[in-house]
Amino acid sequence: MSATPGGGVRTLRVPGRHGYAAEFSPYLPGRLACAASQHYGIAGSGTLLILDQHESGLRLFRSFDWNDGLFDVTWSENNEHVLVTCSGDGSLQLWDTARATGPLQVFKEHTQEVYSVDWSQTRGEQLVVSGSWDQTVKLWDPTVGKSLCTFRGHESVIYSTIWSPHIPGCFASSSGDQTLRIWDVKTTGVRIVVPAHQAEILSCDWCKYNEFSPFHASVLASCSYDFTVRFWNFSKPDPLLETVEHHTEFTCGLDLSLQSPTQVADCAWDETIKIYDPVCLTMLA
């Protein structure tokens, strides 16, 4: 494992681990979680990496291994040390970064890979939602040892599940069935079905700040199988602001910092995690 600051880009290389998800801590500036897998998530184990930023680069604070690939990670909204990951064996894992070992708890009810997990951002509830290749979404209370309910309706694998940051009890999901669906925990039936694409829908997200990014009203970032991260400003006739090409494999995880208006984290299948300040965001700051 090696870390390099290289040209303003803080990089941590984790040999044998391919990144799937990166998420900044909502509590601690500079702390980042990354869910990674061996063998591109096809076989082997997974690792949850907890990283801290320093002037010399990225340092590993703690890591936790799991016996199957890890595909997503979400921070608790009521405890700065707690995270949840999901994996290829159909389980969710609850971790505490204040402890050297774990997990604290394992939730296993899905029958296929769990590809997405998200902790509710509305303070009135502490619920986790998970989406699986078994075509179901499950609702969890981390203090309870089993799921609260199961949502059915998608006709293919589920790639993404994410809570609304504004509407309590509401979440969205996207699937290989080419639909985006909106759900309410008060009922196990779907509220809205949107035929959003004519292909598999790999991800979905809500507008968290009544705008695209935490600091810039019309700026959006994307990452892709083409190895790049792109920054967009949709208030401009030519929206592409910048293309960052610093990965050599599929770029799967991407997050904009809540604390810094210029900072971005990403991770890729090239075994690296990077934190950096794109030129376009620096100019906007």
Side-chain angles (χ1 to χ4, degrees), residues 123-191:
R123 299 294 178 177
E125 59 196 13
Q126 293 299 325
L127 299 173
V128 172
V129 67
S130 61
S132 171
W133 286 18
D134 65 9
Q135 303 182 19
T136 70
V137 176
K138 288 185 178 289
L139 179 71
W140 312 84
D141 179 337
T143 64
V144 178
K146 61 181 180 180
S147 65
L148 302 179
C149 59
T150 300
F151 299 85
R152 294 180 172 85
H154 278 297
E155 299 174 2
S156 184
V157 300
I158 297 171
Y159 289 111
S160 181
T161 49
I162 189 161
W163 290 102
S164 165
H166 305 296
I167 308 170
C170 178
F171 66 89
S173 62
S174 63
S175 167
D177 65 9
Q178 306 178 9
T179 68
L180 176 69
R181 298 179 185 233
I182 310 299
W183 311 79
D184 190 328
V185 298
K186 298 181 183 67
T187 172
T188 55
V190 64
R191 287 177 57 189

Side-chain angles (χ1 to χ4, degrees), residues 48 61-65 95-104:
L48 170 61
F61 170 74
R62 189 150 285 162
S63 67
F64 302 96
D65 289 328
W95 309 91
D96 186 342
T97 63
R99 303 188 183 190
T101 59
L104 299 178

Side-chain angles (χ1 to χ4, degrees), residues 17 102 117 150 155 158 172 176 192 220 226 230 244 263 282-283:
R17 292 295 185 271
V117 64
T150 300
E155 299 174 2
I158 297 171
I192 302 171
L220 181 69
D226 66 7
R230 295 174 188 252
V244 176
Q263 198 166 76
T282 303
M283 294 174 64

Side-chain angles (χ1 to χ4, degrees), residues 246-274:
H246 58 197
H247 285 295
T248 57
E249 275 287 357
F250 296 162
T251 307
C252 295
L254 175 67
D255 197 26
L256 278 71
S257 172
L258 295 171
Q259 285 88 15
S260 167
T262 64
Q263 198 166 76
V264 177
D266 63 41
C267 63
W269 283 13
D270 60 10
E271 305 177 349
T272 67
I273 305 156
K274 297 178 184 288

Side-chain angles (χ1 to χ4, degrees), residues 188-206:
T188 55
V190 64
R191 287 177 57 189
I192 302 171
V193 179
V194 181
H197 292 265
Q198 295 182 345
E200 291 186 296
I201 306 175
L202 302 181
S203 183
C204 62
D205 198 3
W206 296 88

